[in-house]
């Protein structure tokens, strides 16, 4: 229903003819955000709203965390839940302009209808059947839509926990069906409820679950831990020019720190669900804008260890035992190098991530012809999944790639070695749209070699999209 309304509204808009070049899509990732409303959540939400054309937003739900809850004092104070409504109202002021750039932006009315208040009254409170918990349960139980739902915890897991308890209490026979649909992306375990309730009742059902720590390089510690070459995109000059000034009321409400990026620790939870061609949603081990993870038990994925002798915790993965926190203030060059490598699965994408943000900020105020839009990477006679023997030459052909602005495109076919299982050396890259991959003779049967076609346009800001091809070695 809402999609039809969006389409009708788009048809009534002067910019529709240009924007219609991208059609209304109904295969977008379904997402539910739960947020504790910390200052950095409020920054993340502005970026999330500007990215909401990429998702089917099923819910935005206030929740508590170990850091913030209703009744918390001082630093633990809880920001009044209405901040979500306030931001959607600012979004409403730029919505008509955003729609010139993509008809998939949801209406402000639709977003408001998906805003619910969950469990906020204490740390890890998951007993009350709140509106937010009921809503998450309803979405997961909706039999009319079997597509996966990415449920993100930007704060505690307590409202998600309550939602899953509702399903367990009222529909115990449907738990496996819900588990098959559910995907979890947790920014740490910001309360005890994953361990006390979700893990014992749901983990064995195989729910794909990412519990992230590497997100922290986009949180408050970014000036310490990001490599110098990426810091430019977070400093005051860049933020002022591309986001804060001259980009309309939603971007000017962004809570900066002396003009610079402050923190968006929760942003990786939805960066992960942007369908940018990296295909990371197929496996947390494949890596993408939301980081790269390793499986530690059942279908639970945590961060790759900074060194082989660092072991994942048996229990909760949180602020108190986080590797990010252990590495935050190291001084020796060797440890600092380890820290940089630890966060690389996240920061390696940051120039593209920040330019993506800047383009969306432009979409708030510019017409279609004055703004930039992402290239559309297309392959020819190159399947996304290939089986091949060692020694074989494989054609990788991205020549049909286009750009909606007819920008000049630069191509890079590169071997994402960390994502694959081939144990040899990094394979050579190509700067041509058409490349040949020679499968190394020492590749072993069953190995995966991940090749990424990265395409960047010459617009302002430059925008990047990808297509990953996975080669599996045959006997
Ligand atoms: Ca948060
Ligand atoms: Ca472009």
């Amino acid at each position: 229903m809402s999609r039809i309304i969006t389409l009708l509204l788009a048809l009534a808009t002067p910019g529709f003819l240009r924007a219609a070049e991208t059609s209304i899509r109904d295969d977008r990732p379904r997402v539910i955000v739960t947020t504790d409303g910390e200052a950095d959540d409020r920054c993340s939400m502005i970026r999330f709203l500007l990215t909401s054309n990429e998702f089917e937003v099923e819910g935005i739900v206030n929740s508590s965390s170990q850091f913030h809850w209703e009744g918390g004092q001082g630093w633990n104070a809880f920001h009044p839940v209405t901040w979500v409504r306030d931001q959607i109202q600012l979004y409403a002021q730029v919505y008509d302009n955003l729609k010139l750039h993509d008809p998939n932006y949801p209406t402000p009315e639709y977003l408001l209808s998906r805003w619910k208040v969950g469990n906020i009254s204490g740390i890890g409170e998951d007993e009350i059947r709140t509106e937010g918990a009921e809503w998450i349960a309803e979405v997961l139980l909706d039999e009319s839509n079997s597509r996966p739902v990415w449920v993100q915890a930007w704060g505690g897991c307590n409202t998600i926990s309550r939602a899953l308890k509702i399903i367990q209490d009222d529909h115990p026979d449907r738990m496996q069906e819900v588990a098959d649909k559910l995907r979890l992306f947790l920014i740490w375990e910001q309360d005890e409820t994953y361990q006390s309730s979700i893990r014992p009742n749901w983990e064995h059902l195989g729910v794909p679950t990412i519990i992230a720590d590497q997100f922290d390089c986009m949180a408050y510690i970014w000036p310490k831990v990001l490599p110098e070459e990426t810091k430019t995109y977070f400093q005051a000059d860049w933020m002022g020019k591309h986001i804060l000034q001259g980009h309309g009321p939603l971007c000017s409400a962004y809570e900066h720190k002396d003009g610079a990026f402050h923190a968006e620790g929760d942003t990786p939870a939805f960066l992960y669900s942007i369908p940018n061609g990296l295909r990371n949603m197929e496996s947390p081990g494949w890596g993408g804008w939301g980081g790269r993870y390793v499986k530690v038990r059942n279908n639970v994925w945590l961060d790759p260890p900074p060194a082989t002798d660092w072991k994942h915790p048996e229990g909760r993965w949180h602020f108190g035992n986080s590797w990010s926190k252990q590495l935050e203030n190291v001084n020796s060059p060797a440890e600092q190098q380890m820290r940089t490598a630890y966060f690389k699965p996240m920061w390696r994408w940051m120039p593209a991530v920040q330019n993506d943000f800047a383009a969306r900020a432009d979409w708030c105020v510019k017409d279609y012809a004055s703004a930039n839009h992402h290239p559309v990477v297309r392959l020819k006679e190159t399947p996304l999944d290939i089986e091949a023997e060692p020694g074989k030459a494989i054609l990788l052909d991205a020549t049909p790639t286009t750009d909606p602005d007819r920008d000049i495109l630069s191509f890079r076919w590169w071997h994402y070695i960390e994502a694959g299982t081939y144990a040899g050396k990094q394979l050579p890259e190509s700067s041509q749209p058409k490349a040949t991959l020679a499968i190394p003779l020492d590749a072993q049967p069953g190995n995966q070699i991940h090749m990424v076609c990265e395409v960047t346009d010459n617009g302002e800001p430059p925008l990047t999209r990808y297509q990953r091809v996975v080669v599996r070695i045959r006997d």
Side-chain angles (χ1 to χ4, degrees):
M1 183 67 168
S2 61
R3 215 166 289 122
I4 294 165
I5 292 168
T6 308
L7 178 61
L8 290 173
L9 286 168
L11 283 167
T13 307
F16 175 70
L17 287 178
R18 286 312 298 269
E21 289 172 9
T22 340
S23 56
I24 303 273
R25 305 190 308 268
D26 60 4
D27 58 347
R28 292 170 295 164
R30 303 167 72 202
V31 300
I32 295 176
V33 170
T34 65
T35 166
D36 66 348
E38 189 171 309
D40 74 326
D41 295 58
R42 305 197 295 272
C43 294
S44 290
M45 188 60 74
I46 287 177
R47 191 192 297 249
F48 177 82
L49 292 173
L50 291 176
T51 313
S52 60
N53 58 320
E54 306 282 356
F55 313 122
E56 206 170 313
V57 179
E58 296 283 17
I60 300 175
V61 179
N62 301 92
S63 197
S64 67
S65 71
Q66 71 184 99
F67 306 111
H68 305 284
W69 62 94
E70 201 171 53
Q73 299 295 312
W75 197 81
N76 300 123
F78 195 73
H79 207 70
V81 294
T82 47
W83 70 269
V84 176
R85 185 196 63 203
D86 296 345
Q87 283 202 6
I88 294 172
Q89 285 172 348
L90 294 172
Y91 170 87
Q93 294 181 42
V94 294
Y95 168 66
D96 284 343
N97 219 76
L98 287 170
K99 232 173 23 175
L100 302 178
H101 301 272
D102 190 344
N104 287 293
Y105 275 104
T107 65
E109 295 74 23
Y110 171 85
L111 289 173
L112 278 174
S113 75
R114 263 41 184 186
W115 168 48
K116 313 285 177 186
V117 179
N119 297 55
I120 61 173
S121 64
I123 306 173
E125 188 289 302
D126 66 352
E127 292 306 313
I128 305 169
R129 282 190 178 228
T130 56
E131 184 195 27
E134 297 271 11
W135 178 254
I136 295 171
E138 189 178 325
V139 170
L140 290 171
L141 288 165
D142 175 9
E143 287 173 292
S144 72
N145 195 336
S146 61
R147 285 170 35 234
V149 184
W150 287 89
V151 181
Q152 307 161 22
W154 299 13
C157 310
N158 54 325
T159 305
I160 302 168
S161 171
R162 179 66 254 183
L164 295 177
K165 281 186 187 183
I166 289 170
I167 293 165
Q168 189 172 359
D169 291 347
D170 298 359
H171 304 278
D173 54 320
R174 296 188 59 194
M175 286 177 69
Q176 186 63 58
E177 172 198 334
V178 168
D180 291 344
K181 194 189 282 192
L182 176 62
R183 309 282 183 274
L184 291 174
F185 196 120
L186 315 181
I187 299 292
W188 285 332
E189 294 171 49
Q190 298 184 45
D191 61 30
E192 291 280 0
T193 56
Y194 187 82
Q195 297 295 328
S196 65
S197 181
I198 301 174
R199 182 173 178 176
N201 294 297
W202 291 84
E203 221 181 74
H204 68 282
L205 301 178
V207 178
T209 301
I210 295 169
I211 309 175
D213 178 45
Q214 60 198 271
F215 72 82
D216 211 16
C217 70
M218 283 194 84
Y220 305 94
I221 65 172
W222 70 267
K224 290 186 207 171
V225 305
L226 284 181
E228 288 305 318
E229 66 265 28
T230 62
K231 281 185 193 171
T232 314
Y233 295 93
F234 295 80
Q235 287 161 343
D237 282 353
W238 193 96
M239 286 294 293
K241 179 177 173 214
H242 291 100
I243 308 293
L244 302 175
Q245 291 152 23
H247 289 90
L250 182 59
C251 289
S252 64
Y254 188 94
E255 296 174 52
H256 55 86
K257 188 175 186 195
D258 302 326
F261 182 93
H262 190 195
E264 291 185 39
D266 302 306
T267 289
F270 69 86
L271 291 181
Y272 190 84
S273 295
I274 298 174
N276 57 16
L278 283 172
R279 298 174 59 191
N280 51 271
M281 280 180 279
E282 294 180 33
S283 170
W286 285 13
W289 281 10
R292 183 170 52 80
Y293 301 89
V294 294
K295 194 192 266 192
V296 296
R297 59 177 193 261
N298 293 311
N299 206 358
V300 176
W301 300 69
L302 308 184
D303 305 77
T308 49
D309 57 344
W310 287 49
K311 299 296 174 216
H312 293 103
E314 294 291 328
R316 196 173 152 201
W317 189 219
H318 65 121
F319 179 85
N321 59 0
S322 133
W323 290 340
S324 165
K325 290 294 162 235
Q326 290 172 52
L327 291 165
E328 179 179 340
N329 294 310
V330 293
N331 289 314
S332 78
E335 288 173 312
Q336 288 182 346
Q337 209 172 11
M338 178 195 272
R339 183 178 71 191
T340 304
Y342 178 62
F343 289 117
K344 187 177 179 186
M346 188 76 62
W347 63 250
R348 67 185 307 153
W349 314 106
M350 279 304 130
V353 166
Q354 289 295 83
N355 281 325
D356 176 275
F357 189 17
R360 295 168 190 280
D362 282 349
W363 296 353
C364 294
V365 291
K366 291 183 177 176
D367 63 20
Y368 194 93
S370 310
N372 196 15
H373 308 85
H374 301 84
V376 181
V377 187
R378 293 193 185 93
L379 304 185
K380 186 169 84 180
E381 291 165 24
T382 308
L384 299 186
D385 296 283
I386 298 175
E387 289 206 351
E389 301 82 31
K392 193 175 174 194
I394 292 173
L395 177 71
L396 303 170
D397 185 355
T399 52
T401 296
T402 57
D403 184 88
D405 316 298
R406 297 169 195 261
D407 291 324
I408 296 170
L409 301 175
S410 59
F411 289 79
R412 190 177 160 231
W413 276 105
W414 57 279
H415 175 206
Y416 189 179
I417 189 166
E418 298 92 336
T421 51
Y422 166 61
K425 288 190 182 138
Q426 179 116 27
L427 303 174
E429 65 177 68
S430 166
S431 60
Q432 299 302 315
K434 197 188 273 195
T436 304
L437 169 68
I439 305 295
L441 292 170
D442 61 350
Q444 301 300 308
N447 280 177
Q448 283 185 12
I449 295 174
H450 289 230
M451 299 299 295
V452 175
C453 182
E454 181 172 320
V455 181
T456 302
D457 67 22
N458 71 336
E460 173 55 43
L463 291 175
T464 303
R465 280 290 184 255
Y466 314 84
Q467 183 59 64
R468 181 191 309 237
V469 170
V470 179
V471 181
R472 290 180 179 80
I473 309 302
R474 259 202 302 249
D475 287 319

